[in-house]
Amino acid sequence: MDINKITLKVPNAGLGSLVHKLISECPPLDTNSMYCNLLQTHHFAATSVAAIHQSQLIGFISGYIIPQRPDTLFIWQVAVSPKARGIGLASRMLSDILQRPECIHINNLETSITASNTGSWKLFERLARDLNAPLDKSILFDRFHHLNDEHDTEHLVHIGPFEKEHIAALNS
Ligand SMILES: CC(C)(COP(=O)(O)OP(=O)(O)OC[C@H]1O[C@@H](n2cnc3c(N)ncnc32)[C@H](O)[C@@H]1OP(=O)(O)O)[C@@H](O)C(=O)NCCC(=O)NCCS
């Protein structure tokens, strides 16, 4: 797939059910309720992104600005359709969000990743390198303490602080 033929857009609620389907096709992501995906595409649209190719939704990132820390963008889920992987789409979607006017005050980014999700680690390590920023790891939600032994531990990844010039230089 040619990345130049993919359009990135701010999502809207009309995409909510398609997001729900895409997430279900992207293990190990947890599916949420369709209502949750509708809220992501509606209330969190300014910090989320949809990737469209030939009228199909092939990528989606949900994110929000942490309410208590307005300088920190939290990336909730990253989903790229199996047919669109390996061409830099997830990186491009992250850049698209970071370069929006709504993220003008953002100089830190967080996400959580399970230990075995190599693709996700590589994606965010690449982002930290591109932003010339430190990447720190800790535990966000522990398998036993928080997740009732039903889900792997979610490791908190913190990238930042980073400078505006490095955000501007990202390839969106
Ligand atoms: C993880 C995922 C989002 C990556 O999407 P993508 O568009 O293929 O990623 P990119 O092409 O932008 O790659 C970004 C970097 O990560 C690396 N990478 C991506 N997937 C990888 C994998 N499975 N194994 C090793 N490296 C991987 C790329 O090589 C690239 O690094 P580089 O530029 O240093 O070579 C995609 O595989 C996916 O949707 N997986 C299922 C859902 C998931 O696990 N989401 C992440 C958790 S929130």
Side-chain angles (χ1 to χ4, degrees), residues 139-158:
I139 287 179
L140 181 62
F141 299 128
D142 175 73
R143 177 178 191 107
F144 300 101
H145 185 63
H146 299 102
L147 292 158
N148 201 30
D149 198 14
E150 291 169 21
H151 186 291
D152 287 343
T153 293
E154 289 281 348
H155 296 265
L156 176 68
V157 171
H158 182 108

PDB file of all heavy atoms in Angstrom, residues 139-158:
ATOM      1  N   ILE A 139       5.591   0.978  36.001  1.00  0.00           N
ATOM      2  CA  ILE A 139       4.374   0.164  35.902  1.00  0.00           C
ATOM      3  C   ILE A 139       3.158   1.071  36.083  1.00  0.00           C
ATOM      4  O   ILE A 139       3.102   1.880  37.010  1.00  0.00           O
ATOM      5  CB  ILE A 139       4.401  -0.964  36.939  1.00  0.00           C
ATOM      6  CG1 ILE A 139       5.417  -2.013  36.475  1.00  0.00           C
ATOM      7  CG2 ILE A 139       3.018  -1.601  37.103  1.00  0.00           C
ATOM      8  CD1 ILE A 139       5.581  -3.187  37.386  1.00  0.00           C
ATOM      9  N   LEU A 140       2.223   0.966  35.148  1.00  0.00           N
ATOM     10  CA  LEU A 140       0.987   1.742  35.274  1.00  0.00           C
ATOM     11  C   LEU A 140      -0.083   0.906  35.978  1.00  0.00           C
ATOM     12  O   LEU A 140      -0.588   1.303  37.019  1.00  0.00           O
ATOM     13  CB  LEU A 140       0.504   2.187  33.885  1.00  0.00           C
ATOM     14  CG  LEU A 140      -0.771   3.018  33.870  1.00  0.00           C
ATOM     15  CD1 LEU A 140      -0.602   4.331  34.633  1.00  0.00           C
ATOM     16  CD2 LEU A 140      -1.221   3.319  32.440  1.00  0.00           C
ATOM     17  N   PHE A 141      -0.400  -0.250  35.378  1.00  0.00           N
ATOM     18  CA  PHE A 141      -1.404  -1.148  35.972  1.00  0.00           C
ATOM     19  C   PHE A 141      -0.796  -2.542  36.083  1.00  0.00           C
ATOM     20  O   PHE A 141      -0.423  -3.142  35.069  1.00  0.00           O
ATOM     21  CB  PHE A 141      -2.671  -1.184  35.114  1.00  0.00           C
ATOM     22  CG  PHE A 141      -3.346   0.167  34.989  1.00  0.00           C
ATOM     23  CD1 PHE A 141      -3.660   0.679  33.739  1.00  0.00           C
ATOM     24  CD2 PHE A 141      -3.667   0.929  36.113  1.00  0.00           C
ATOM     25  CE1 PHE A 141      -4.278   1.918  33.607  1.00  0.00           C
ATOM     26  CE2 PHE A 141      -4.287   2.173  35.996  1.00  0.00           C
ATOM     27  CZ  PHE A 141      -4.580   2.664  34.736  1.00  0.00           C
ATOM     28  N   ASP A 142      -0.717  -3.030  37.310  1.00  0.00           N
ATOM     29  CA  ASP A 142      -0.071  -4.309  37.586  1.00  0.00           C
ATOM     30  C   ASP A 142      -1.052  -5.482  37.425  1.00  0.00           C
ATOM     31  O   ASP A 142      -2.223  -5.388  37.808  1.00  0.00           O
ATOM     32  CB  ASP A 142       0.479  -4.282  39.018  1.00  0.00           C
ATOM     33  CG  ASP A 142       1.063  -5.610  39.423  1.00  0.00           C
ATOM     34  OD1 ASP A 142       2.155  -5.941  38.931  1.00  0.00           O
ATOM     35  OD2 ASP A 142       0.395  -6.320  40.212  1.00  0.00           O
ATOM     36  N   ARG A 143      -0.531  -6.577  36.865  1.00  0.00           N
ATOM     37  CA  ARG A 143      -1.362  -7.753  36.589  1.00  0.00           C
ATOM     38  C   ARG A 143      -2.159  -8.216  37.810  1.00  0.00           C
ATOM     39  O   ARG A 143      -3.350  -8.513  37.717  1.00  0.00           O
ATOM     40  CB  ARG A 143      -0.451  -8.894  36.110  1.00  0.00           C
ATOM     41  CG  ARG A 143      -1.201 -10.166  35.860  1.00  0.00           C
ATOM     42  CD  ARG A 143      -0.341 -11.301  35.333  1.00  0.00           C
ATOM     43  NE  ARG A 143      -1.255 -12.330  34.901  1.00  0.00           N
ATOM     44  CZ  ARG A 143      -1.521 -12.628  33.635  1.00  0.00           C
ATOM     45  NH1 ARG A 143      -0.846 -12.050  32.680  1.00  0.00           N
ATOM     46  NH2 ARG A 143      -2.440 -13.515  33.326  1.00  0.00           N
ATOM     47  N   PHE A 144      -1.498  -8.239  38.965  1.00  0.00           N
ATOM     48  CA  PHE A 144      -2.165  -8.774  40.155  1.00  0.00           C
ATOM     49  C   PHE A 144      -2.857  -7.674  40.955  1.00  0.00           C
ATOM     50  O   PHE A 144      -3.998  -7.830  41.387  1.00  0.00           O
ATOM     51  CB  PHE A 144      -1.151  -9.530  41.030  1.00  0.00           C
ATOM     52  CG  PHE A 144      -0.524 -10.664  40.284  1.00  0.00           C
ATOM     53  CD1 PHE A 144       0.750 -10.560  39.746  1.00  0.00           C
ATOM     54  CD2 PHE A 144      -1.243 -11.837  40.064  1.00  0.00           C
ATOM     55  CE1 PHE A 144       1.300 -11.599  39.019  1.00  0.00           C
ATOM     56  CE2 PHE A 144      -0.699 -12.885  39.338  1.00  0.00           C
ATOM     57  CZ  PHE A 144       0.588 -12.768  38.811  1.00  0.00           C
ATOM     58  N   HIS A 145      -2.154  -6.554  41.112  1.00  0.00           N
ATOM     59  CA  HIS A 145      -2.693  -5.498  41.960  1.00  0.00           C
ATOM     60  C   HIS A 145      -3.904  -4.809  41.320  1.00  0.00           C
ATOM     61  O   HIS A 145      -4.877  -4.479  41.998  1.00  0.00           O
ATOM     62  CB  HIS A 145      -1.577  -4.475  42.251  1.00  0.00           C
ATOM     63  CG  HIS A 145      -1.980  -3.412  43.204  1.00  0.00           C
ATOM     64  ND1 HIS A 145      -2.337  -3.685  44.514  1.00  0.00           N
ATOM     65  CD2 HIS A 145      -2.093  -2.064  43.055  1.00  0.00           C
ATOM     66  CE1 HIS A 145      -2.652  -2.550  45.119  1.00  0.00           C
ATOM     67  NE2 HIS A 145      -2.514  -1.560  44.260  1.00  0.00           N
ATOM     68  N   HIS A 146      -3.821  -4.572  39.981  1.00  0.00           N
ATOM     69  CA  HIS A 146      -4.905  -3.809  39.334  1.00  0.00           C
ATOM     70  C   HIS A 146      -5.785  -4.652  38.425  1.00  0.00           C
ATOM     71  O   HIS A 146      -6.944  -4.303  38.202  1.00  0.00           O
ATOM     72  CB  HIS A 146      -4.328  -2.682  38.461  1.00  0.00           C
ATOM     73  CG  HIS A 146      -3.529  -1.669  39.193  1.00  0.00           C
ATOM     74  ND1 HIS A 146      -2.148  -1.655  39.190  1.00  0.00           N
ATOM     75  CD2 HIS A 146      -3.904  -0.622  39.960  1.00  0.00           C
ATOM     76  CE1 HIS A 146      -1.708  -0.624  39.911  1.00  0.00           C
ATOM     77  NE2 HIS A 146      -2.740  -0.002  40.399  1.00  0.00           N
ATOM     78  N   LEU A 147      -5.186  -5.699  37.813  1.00  0.00           N
ATOM     79  CA  LEU A 147      -5.888  -6.342  36.694  1.00  0.00           C
ATOM     80  C   LEU A 147      -6.432  -7.729  37.030  1.00  0.00           C
ATOM     81  O   LEU A 147      -6.807  -8.494  36.129  1.00  0.00           O
ATOM     82  CB  LEU A 147      -4.946  -6.404  35.476  1.00  0.00           C
ATOM     83  CG  LEU A 147      -4.632  -5.021  34.886  1.00  0.00           C
ATOM     84  CD1 LEU A 147      -3.337  -5.033  34.088  1.00  0.00           C
ATOM     85  CD2 LEU A 147      -5.786  -4.563  33.994  1.00  0.00           C
ATOM     86  N   ASN A 148      -6.490  -8.022  38.322  1.00  0.00           N
ATOM     87  CA  ASN A 148      -7.156  -9.239  38.778  1.00  0.00           C
ATOM     88  C   ASN A 148      -6.621 -10.498  38.102  1.00  0.00           C
ATOM     89  O   ASN A 148      -7.358 -11.452  37.867  1.00  0.00           O
ATOM     90  CB  ASN A 148      -8.675  -9.110  38.541  1.00  0.00           C
ATOM     91  CG  ASN A 148      -9.471 -10.055  39.402  1.00  0.00           C
ATOM     92  OD1 ASN A 148      -9.049 -10.401  40.509  1.00  0.00           O
ATOM     93  ND2 ASN A 148     -10.608 -10.510  38.894  1.00  0.00           N
ATOM     94  N   ASP A 149      -5.339 -10.493  37.713  1.00  0.00           N
ATOM     95  CA  ASP A 149      -4.688 -11.629  37.061  1.00  0.00           C
ATOM     96  C   ASP A 149      -5.388 -12.037  35.754  1.00  0.00           C
ATOM     97  O   ASP A 149      -5.316 -13.178  35.328  1.00  0.00           O
ATOM     98  CB  ASP A 149      -4.633 -12.828  38.039  1.00  0.00           C
ATOM     99  CG  ASP A 149      -3.605 -13.873  37.604  1.00  0.00           C
ATOM    100  OD1 ASP A 149      -2.768 -13.557  36.730  1.00  0.00           O
ATOM    101  OD2 ASP A 149      -3.656 -14.994  38.126  1.00  0.00           O
ATOM    102  N   GLU A 150      -6.071 -11.066  35.117  1.00  0.00           N
ATOM    103  CA  GLU A 150      -6.806 -11.395  33.880  1.00  0.00           C
ATOM    104  C   GLU A 150      -6.151 -10.755  32.652  1.00  0.00           C
ATOM    105  O   GLU A 150      -6.627 -10.933  31.528  1.00  0.00           O
ATOM    106  CB  GLU A 150      -8.256 -10.885  33.990  1.00  0.00           C
ATOM    107  CG  GLU A 150      -9.068 -11.674  35.006  1.00  0.00           C
ATOM    108  CD  GLU A 150     -10.410 -11.022  35.310  1.00  0.00           C
ATOM    109  OE1 GLU A 150     -10.884 -10.217  34.500  1.00  0.00           O
ATOM    110  OE2 GLU A 150     -10.972 -11.342  36.381  1.00  0.00           O
ATOM    111  N   HIS A 151      -5.066  -9.990  32.873  1.00  0.00           N
ATOM    112  CA  HIS A 151      -4.474  -9.224  31.768  1.00  0.00           C
ATOM    113  C   HIS A 151      -3.019  -8.958  32.144  1.00  0.00           C
ATOM    114  O   HIS A 151      -2.718  -8.758  33.321  1.00  0.00           O
ATOM    115  CB  HIS A 151      -5.262  -7.906  31.643  1.00  0.00           C
ATOM    116  CG  HIS A 151      -4.893  -7.054  30.463  1.00  0.00           C
ATOM    117  ND1 HIS A 151      -3.682  -6.396  30.354  1.00  0.00           N
ATOM    118  CD2 HIS A 151      -5.589  -6.742  29.348  1.00  0.00           C
ATOM    119  CE1 HIS A 151      -3.658  -5.720  29.221  1.00  0.00           C
ATOM    120  NE2 HIS A 151      -4.805  -5.909  28.592  1.00  0.00           N
ATOM    121  N   ASP A 152      -2.133  -8.954  31.142  1.00  0.00           N
ATOM    122  CA  ASP A 152      -0.722  -8.666  31.429  1.00  0.00           C
ATOM    123  C   ASP A 152      -0.543  -7.252  31.993  1.00  0.00           C
ATOM    124  O   ASP A 152      -1.327  -6.348  31.674  1.00  0.00           O
ATOM    125  CB  ASP A 152       0.109  -8.768  30.137  1.00  0.00           C
ATOM    126  CG  ASP A 152       0.275 -10.221  29.708  1.00  0.00           C
ATOM    127  OD1 ASP A 152       0.047 -11.106  30.552  1.00  0.00           O
ATOM    128  OD2 ASP A 152       0.608 -10.436  28.529  1.00  0.00           O
ATOM    129  N   THR A 153       0.517  -7.088  32.786  1.00  0.00           N
ATOM    130  CA  THR A 153       0.861  -5.772  33.328  1.00  0.00           C
ATOM    131  C   THR A 153       1.017  -4.745  32.206  1.00  0.00           C
ATOM    132  O   THR A 153       1.638  -5.019  31.180  1.00  0.00           O
ATOM    133  CB  THR A 153       2.180  -5.888  34.127  1.00  0.00           C
ATOM    134  OG1 THR A 153       1.914  -6.694  35.274  1.00  0.00           O
ATOM    135  CG2 THR A 153       2.700  -4.533  34.564  1.00  0.00           C
ATOM    136  N   GLU A 154       0.443  -3.573  32.420  1.00  0.00           N
ATOM    137  CA  GLU A 154       0.583  -2.463  31.466  1.00  0.00           C
ATOM    138  C   GLU A 154       1.714  -1.557  31.950  1.00  0.00           C
ATOM    139  O   GLU A 154       1.629  -0.962  33.030  1.00  0.00           O
ATOM    140  CB  GLU A 154      -0.723  -1.652  31.386  1.00  0.00           C
ATOM    141  CG  GLU A 154      -1.868  -2.381  30.692  1.00  0.00           C
ATOM    142  CD  GLU A 154      -1.775  -2.373  29.176  1.00  0.00           C
ATOM    143  OE1 GLU A 154      -0.950  -1.616  28.622  1.00  0.00           O
ATOM    144  OE2 GLU A 154      -2.516  -3.146  28.533  1.00  0.00           O
ATOM    145  N   HIS A 155       2.781  -1.488  31.163  1.00  0.00           N
ATOM    146  CA  HIS A 155       3.935  -0.660  31.515  1.00  0.00           C
ATOM    147  C   HIS A 155       3.715   0.764  31.011  1.00  0.00           C
ATOM    148  O   HIS A 155       3.405   0.954  29.829  1.00  0.00           O
ATOM    149  CB  HIS A 155       5.209  -1.244  30.899  1.00  0.00           C
ATOM    150  CG  HIS A 155       5.538  -2.599  31.452  1.00  0.00           C
ATOM    151  ND1 HIS A 155       6.408  -2.771  32.503  1.00  0.00           N
ATOM    152  CD2 HIS A 155       5.062  -3.825  31.133  1.00  0.00           C
ATOM    153  CE1 HIS A 155       6.467  -4.066  32.799  1.00  0.00           C
ATOM    154  NE2 HIS A 155       5.662  -4.728  31.976  1.00  0.00           N
ATOM    155  N   LEU A 156       3.905   1.715  31.910  1.00  0.00           N
ATOM    156  CA  LEU A 156       3.786   3.119  31.520  1.00  0.00           C
ATOM    157  C   LEU A 156       5.050   3.555  30.782  1.00  0.00           C
ATOM    158  O   LEU A 156       6.163   3.319  31.254  1.00  0.00           O
ATOM    159  CB  LEU A 156       3.607   3.997  32.759  1.00  0.00           C
ATOM    160  CG  LEU A 156       3.559   5.502  32.499  1.00  0.00           C
ATOM    161  CD1 LEU A 156       2.307   5.892  31.734  1.00  0.00           C
ATOM    162  CD2 LEU A 156       3.626   6.279  33.808  1.00  0.00           C
ATOM    163  N   VAL A 157       4.838   4.144  29.618  1.00  0.00           N
ATOM    164  CA  VAL A 157       5.947   4.718  28.850  1.00  0.00           C
ATOM    165  C   VAL A 157       5.776   6.230  28.875  1.00  0.00           C
ATOM    166  O   VAL A 157       4.711   6.745  28.515  1.00  0.00           O
ATOM    167  CB  VAL A 157       5.909   4.208  27.390  1.00  0.00           C
ATOM    168  CG1 VAL A 157       6.915   4.957  26.533  1.00  0.00           C
ATOM    169  CG2 VAL A 157       6.160   2.720  27.355  1.00  0.00           C
ATOM    170  N   HIS A 158       6.792   6.910  29.345  1.00  0.00           N
ATOM    171  CA  HIS A 158       6.759   8.381  29.356  1.00  0.00           C
ATOM    172  C   HIS A 158       7.860   8.888  28.427  1.00  0.00           C
ATOM    173  O   HIS A 158       9.034   8.549  28.613  1.00  0.00           O
ATOM    174  CB  HIS A 158       6.989   8.912  30.784  1.00  0.00           C
ATOM    175  CG  HIS A 158       6.929  10.411  30.861  1.00  0.00           C
ATOM    176  ND1 HIS A 158       5.869  11.085  31.440  1.00  0.00           N
ATOM    177  CD2 HIS A 158       7.768  11.369  30.398  1.00  0.00           C
ATOM    178  CE1 HIS A 158       6.083  12.389  31.336  1.00  0.00           C
ATOM    179  NE2 HIS A 158       7.230  12.587  30.706  1.00  0.00           N
TER     180      HIS A 158
END
